[in-house]
Amino acid sequence: MSSSHHYLSSSDIEKIKRVLIGARLSDGIDEAARFLIRQYQEGVTEETALAEALTRYVGQRSDWRLMQDGKSDKRPPGVSEK
């Protein structure tokens, strides 16, 4: 089944909500939710596996936040300041 045609049930959404709450993210919650939905549609359906995948993803995303002149820089690597 194509991931674009996989609909999540209310219990699937509740599972994703629990993972998001457990992650205690201060920002990027919408992006994290989209990530978890994609993971679920690709077959990662166990709560523990979803939480681990989200932890890895957040770690990769936090690598993008580089410090320059004492300020947080949220640009991806390779994107220069204009």
Side-chain angles (χ1 to χ4, degrees), residues 63-66 75-80:
D63 289 343
W64 288 7
R65 290 174 179 86
L66 306 173
R75 292 185 308 263
V79 176
S80 62

Side-chain angles (χ1 to χ4, degrees), residues 8 12-20 36-37 40:
L8 301 176
D12 298 336
I13 297 295
E14 288 302 316
K15 189 183 294 187
I16 289 170
K17 280 184 185 178
R18 286 192 300 271
V19 172
L20 285 170
L36 288 173
I37 289 167
Y40 206 95

Side-chain angles (χ1 to χ4, degrees), residues 4 6 16 26 35 38-39 41 43 47-49 51 59 62-63 65 69 72 75-76 79-81:
S4 63
H6 180 89
I16 289 170
S26 60
F35 171 78
R38 276 193 313 274
Q39 291 294 295
Q41 291 172 330
E47 225 167 301
T48 303
S62 67
D63 289 343
R65 290 174 179 86
D69 301 328
S72 179
R75 292 185 308 263
V79 176
S80 62
E81 189 174 333

Side-chain angles (χ1 to χ4, degrees), residues 2 8 10 18 20 24-25 27 31 33 37-39 42 48 50 53-54 58 60-62 64 70 72 76 81:
S2 169
L8 301 176
S10 59
R18 286 192 300 271
L20 285 170
R24 298 181 178 196
L25 299 172
D27 63 355
E31 182 180 353
I37 289 167
R38 276 193 313 274
Q39 291 294 295
E42 292 173 2
T48 303
L50 286 167
L54 181 58
V58 168
Q60 291 170 351
R61 296 290 299 179
S62 67
W64 288 7
S72 179
E81 189 174 333

